[in-house]
Amino acid sequence: MMKSLDILKTPSSVKITALTLFSLTLLIFIFTRYSSTTTLTISHLTFFSPSPSHHQQQQPKPLRVPPLPSLDRIGLLDQNGVMTDNFTLGSNDDSLLLNWNMNNDDLVPVVMEKKVVEKYKICDMSMVDYIPCLDNVEEIVKFNVSLRGEKYERHCPQQGKGLNCIVPRPNGYKRPILWPKSRDEIWFSNVPHTRLVEDKGGQNWISIKKDRFVFPGGGTQFIHGADKYLDQISEMVPDIAFGHNSSVALDIGCGVASFGAFLMQRNVTTLSIAPKDVHENQIQFALERGVPALVAVLATHRLPFPSQAFDLIHCSRCRINWTRDDGILLLEANRLLRAGRYFVWAAQPVYKHEVSLQEQWKEMENLTARMCWELVLKEGYIAIWRKPMTNSCYLSRDMAVHPPLCDSNDDPDDVWYVGLKACITQLPNNGYGSNVTNWPSRLRQPPDRLQSIQMDAVISRQELFNAELKYWNEIIDSYVRAYRWKEYNLRNVMDMRAGFGGFAAALHDLQIDCWVMNVVPVSEFNTLPVLYDRGLIGVMHDWCEPFDTYPRTYDLLHAAGLFSVEKKRQKCNISTIMLEMDRMLRPGGYVYIRDSVRIINELEEIAKAVGWITAQNDIGEGPYASWKILRCEKRF
């Protein structure tokens, strides 16, 4: 009985009942309007009509509503329209969960065309390490005098001048050495560049032994090894607590990324960044080792990370003039640093007593004081500052003190091609960003900043967060079982449309030993603050432009719903995105595309033209679902 009553409360039942009542009302009106002898008995939902000859009343015949079929709840909404995390994956879940963060501005209908794609040619061998936006010589030559590092920033080719061929691999390229062995050695033939060995061989960075590069784990300021250096930092400030209070770090001017490589065993994910400068292959070495890294430079634009992203920012002899232009570069570091967390500087001005270096130290000391940073400890060649937890220090300063606070309308999370600003980013009064939990609980807990990011609020954000987490756990679990992902030996993974980071969280929960670069497309809601509060890393990016990484640096590229979005934007041809994916993908690597049926066939044709081995698979809802999986392999 209760089950029948529950069924009648469903939206479908309400609609059918309303339609029935409307029909009955219409019939009543017709009979009462045109027949004076019609009688209506409401209580039985019946009508009577007189006999033409005897005027006798007929036996009433009830009008019965056929019983509604029982409904299985499929999806994220319960029968009252309230979201729940207790749901069954159904045919509508892909479109709901993969399209919730789609910004529909300027979208146009998709026109489906069947195209024959010619096989792409191999590029010239001079492009073996080609990064399109950083090797655009035509633009770079305009910055011969680059006082602020402009020539090391992005200068992407104009439309029609981008990559239109397959980037070749170096002669003798081998399948990369697997992690964790790759932390300490890689094949020389995969990154055949000796400049770093020549320049830094005496600083315990890197050396050559037979057919391999070897990484002893040292650096300019920690020639005795990264582990001892990390121990020293932990002893100086125990509150840093690697792996607990500090889960996400940024290493600026990272060299070959040994700092980040050795932090991994302490449960810290470190994003290592460096420019493509005179030591142009340091990020390539880092990625070949299997360490999270990105080619990036502090120059005139914000880095593509949100505010309060990192629990620790580290700079060891990173060759950055932190005090230039009213401290504009240190103010960018301040934007990126989480409230109450630490900036570590290991450099000559900290410990050397030369007049010029001591002047640099005094400038740094003065600037950090005006920024309300607390100098926690200066010991040996390391100085550690702590960022304030609140705005109280900023607001108590004299109005004439510089640097000033940023305008209240400045969005500290707006990062795509946004210029640096010589001002102090104010902290949220509600403490958002600083009140994250410790690792690993923060990975699964919806952070407070989930409520403050700019996005449509039609659906409960917390329920959507939980639903995405559950959804990707079930999907990745099926991938691991059906496609044997644990046999892939994945290390460097990219999620090209990350949302809240459910894909990366699922890989962690299912114990796939890899790291994930989460990419938030510029055309969608900026969820980067949520990603970093969860203890993940990621960047903002426009997929109609090349990504700032070397060729052959990722083992797996994952794209869920990305191409449907980019097709609708009509900003670029989706074949340019596929060529860029091939450039980033290691030989022997994989691509998983989960998208609508209407676009999968076109993507498969492009994938074959690029030279990948392809296969289409149904999703869990079967062959008639509106989504499919395109699996691709870049054969070795």
Side-chain angles (χ1 to χ4, degrees):
M1 180 65 181
M2 291 301 295
K3 183 175 181 181
S4 300
L5 290 175
D6 287 342
I7 290 176
L8 291 175
K9 293 179 183 178
T10 63
S12 298
S13 299
V14 173
K15 290 179 181 178
I16 292 173
T17 304
L19 182 60
T20 303
L21 291 176
F22 174 80
S23 301
L24 288 173
T25 304
L26 182 61
L27 288 171
I28 292 168
F29 172 79
I30 293 172
F31 275 88
T32 54
R33 179 71 175 83
Y34 296 103
S35 176
S36 60
T37 58
T38 301
T39 305
L40 177 70
T41 303
I42 300 281
S43 61
H44 295 284
L45 290 177
T46 61
F47 63 88
F48 302 89
S49 56
S51 171
S53 56
H54 302 286
H55 300 284
Q56 295 178 352
Q57 198 173 54
Q58 293 183 347
Q59 187 68 25
K61 296 180 180 180
L63 180 65
R64 299 183 182 277
V65 178
L68 296 174
S70 59
L71 297 177
D72 292 328
R73 285 168 50 197
I74 298 178
L76 302 178
L77 300 177
D78 66 13
Q79 65 267 33
N80 298 315
V82 178
M83 292 201 66
T84 175
D85 60 359
N86 181 21
F87 65 93
T88 303
L89 288 178
S91 58
N92 294 324
D93 290 320
D94 279 89
S95 58
L96 176 60
L97 274 170
L98 299 183
N99 292 334
W100 66 265
N101 60 341
M102 184 188 299
N103 188 336
N104 291 314
D105 296 342
D106 302 322
L107 296 187
V108 296
V110 175
V111 178
M112 297 307 300
E113 298 179 10
K114 181 69 174 178
K115 297 181 179 179
V116 177
V117 184
E118 294 184 6
K119 192 172 181 64
Y120 290 98
K121 297 179 180 179
I122 304 297
C123 304
D124 187 82
M125 281 300 294
S126 62
M127 299 175 66
V128 68
D129 292 328
Y130 181 60
I131 305 177
C133 294
L134 303 179
D135 290 327
N136 186 2
V137 178
E138 187 177 329
E139 290 296 320
I140 292 173
V141 294
K142 298 176 183 178
F143 298 96
N144 281 334
V145 179
S146 182
L147 299 177
R148 294 176 174 81
E150 295 92 338
K151 73 177 182 179
Y152 302 121
E153 293 186 306
R154 292 171 60 82
H155 303 288
C156 297
Q158 296 178 1
Q159 191 170 4
K161 294 185 178 181
L163 190 66
N164 61 357
C165 54
I166 305 296
V167 172
R169 64 193 71 174
N171 293 325
Y173 183 86
K174 300 180 181 181
R175 192 176 298 277
I177 294 173
L178 299 179
W179 181 268
K181 190 176 181 180
S182 64
R183 188 196 71 175
D184 302 321
E185 59 182 43
I186 64 172
W187 299 118
F188 176 87
S189 57
N190 288 12
V191 191
H193 303 287
T194 60
R195 177 69 183 266
L196 272 176
V197 178
E198 295 164 3
D199 288 357
K200 302 293 182 180
Q203 297 177 3
N204 211 28
W205 276 31
I206 182 174
S207 61
I208 300 176
K209 289 187 179 179
K210 296 182 180 179
D211 57 353
R212 308 183 186 204
F213 284 109
V214 177
F215 305 93
T220 306
Q221 293 295 157
F222 41 103
I223 60 175
H224 298 297
D227 260 338
K228 290 185 177 180
Y229 179 73
L230 294 171
D231 289 340
Q232 183 179 354
I233 292 173
S234 297
E235 291 167 4
M236 289 175 67
V237 183
D239 184 55
I240 287 177
F242 291 126
H244 299 282
N245 296 342
S246 299
S247 302
V248 187
L250 177 67
D251 189 15
I252 300 175
C254 62
V256 293
S258 289
F259 179 83
F262 280 83
L263 267 178
M264 282 189 162
Q265 64 197 32
R266 304 184 186 218
N267 290 323
V268 178
T269 301
T270 305
L271 182 54
S272 301
I273 64 171
K276 190 176 183 182
D277 56 9
V278 292
H279 300 136
E280 61 179 29
N281 297 99
Q282 47 196 330
I283 293 300
Q284 191 174 20
F285 281 114
L287 288 163
E288 185 71 14
R289 296 175 72 183
V291 179
L294 184 73
V295 186
V297 62
L298 268 171
T300 67
H301 289 91
R302 283 178 171 176
L303 293 172
F305 318 124
S307 64
Q308 297 198 80
F310 300 99
D311 306 316
L312 181 90
I313 295 180
H314 173 257
C315 161
S316 173
R317 290 289 291 274
C318 53
R319 300 190 302 161
I320 292 176
N321 182 359
W322 291 111
T323 58
R324 77 154 171 89
D325 296 337
D326 298 321
I328 196 168
L329 301 183
L330 195 62
L331 289 164
E332 171 65 356
N334 179 74
R335 182 185 72 84
L336 300 173
L337 187 59
R338 200 175 297 279
R341 304 314 294 162
Y342 298 93
F343 179 87
V344 179
W345 192 37
Q348 289 182 343
V350 177
Y351 65 96
K352 284 198 172 182
H353 299 288
E354 298 173 15
V355 174
S356 61
L357 294 175
Q358 282 304 295
E359 288 177 355
Q360 292 178 36
W361 170 254
K362 289 296 182 184
E363 290 176 1
M364 187 71 166
E365 201 172 26
N366 181 268
L367 174 61
T368 53
R370 286 184 279 117
M371 290 170 54
C372 294
W373 282 14
E374 174 195 358
L375 179 58
V376 180
L377 194 62
K378 177 186 175 185
E379 180 180 288
Y381 52 86
I382 301 174
I384 302 178
W385 285 269
R386 184 174 187 262
K387 180 178 175 177
M389 284 289 294
T390 67
N391 294 317
S392 58
C393 174
Y394 305 143
L395 299 176
S396 64
R397 299 182 313 162
D398 189 278
M399 292 289 291
V401 173
H402 279 70
L405 291 175
C406 296
D407 293 338
S408 58
N409 61 357
D410 175 64
D411 182 359
D413 299 322
D414 185 14
V415 296
W416 189 243
Y417 287 120
V418 174
L420 293 179
K421 301 178 182 180
C423 59
I424 298 173
T425 301
Q426 297 190 55
L427 295 169
N429 292 324
N430 52 21
Y432 285 6
S434 62
N435 50 0
V436 295
T437 56
N438 291 339
W439 181 265
S441 60
R442 65 190 284 187
L443 180 64
R444 303 184 66 85
Q445 182 172 322
D448 288 338
R449 280 203 286 184
L450 177 65
Q451 305 304 324
S452 63
I453 61 174
Q454 295 181 9
M455 61 174 286
D456 292 343
V458 175
I459 301 174
S460 167
R461 299 180 185 202
Q462 185 163 325
E463 295 295 342
L464 186 57
F465 176 96
N466 291 330
E468 190 204 60
L469 181 66
K470 179 179 173 65
Y471 174 82
W472 280 116
N473 260 283
E474 294 190 17
I475 294 298
I476 301 306
D477 181 59
S478 70
Y479 286 177
V480 170
R481 287 184 286 104
Y483 305 131
R484 301 179 180 178
W485 271 25
K486 289 196 174 181
E487 297 178 13
Y488 285 179
N489 295 311
L490 301 175
R491 182 58 194 168
N492 302 354
V493 177
M494 176 183 286
D495 188 3
M496 299 175 68
R497 186 171 179 246
F500 291 137
F503 173 82
L507 288 174
H508 174 271
D509 289 347
L510 293 168
Q511 299 180 341
I512 304 295
D513 190 12
C514 67
W515 60 271
V516 181
M517 178 64 76
N518 294 283
V519 181
V520 175
V522 297
S523 57
E524 302 188 5
F525 303 119
N526 184 0
T527 54
L528 280 175
V530 175
L531 288 164
Y532 277 92
D533 285 1
R534 297 184 72 176
L536 303 171
I537 59 172
V539 295
M540 180 73 70
H541 186 65
D542 186 341
W543 281 117
C544 285
E545 296 184 12
F547 193 81
D548 288 342
T549 192
Y550 282 85
R552 304 171 300 280
T553 50
Y554 283 91
D555 300 304
L556 172 69
L557 301 176
H558 176 257
L562 174 71
F563 287 97
S564 291
V565 175
E566 296 301 335
K567 185 88 171 178
K568 290 176 182 178
R569 286 178 72 204
Q570 291 193 338
K571 184 179 177 182
C572 63
N573 193 311
I574 61 174
S575 62
T576 63
I577 304 175
M578 296 284 276
L579 277 171
E580 176 64 4
M581 292 169 70
D582 181 78
R583 188 187 70 84
M584 296 188 295
L585 191 63
R586 283 173 165 173
Y590 302 88
V591 173
Y592 272 63
I593 299 172
R594 192 179 184 93
D595 220 309
S596 63
V597 172
R598 60 181 183 173
I599 201 171
I600 283 289
N601 290 332
E602 181 180 356
L603 293 174
E604 186 170 28
E605 290 301 312
I606 299 172
K608 290 177 180 177
V610 169
W612 299 344
I613 305 300
T614 66
Q616 284 193 36
N617 293 94
D618 297 326
I619 61 173
E621 286 68 47
Y624 301 108
S626 58
W627 292 73
K628 281 190 179 294
I629 302 166
L630 178 62
R631 296 187 295 126
C632 308
E633 181 182 355
K634 184 177 180 178
R635 288 284 171 88
F636 193 86

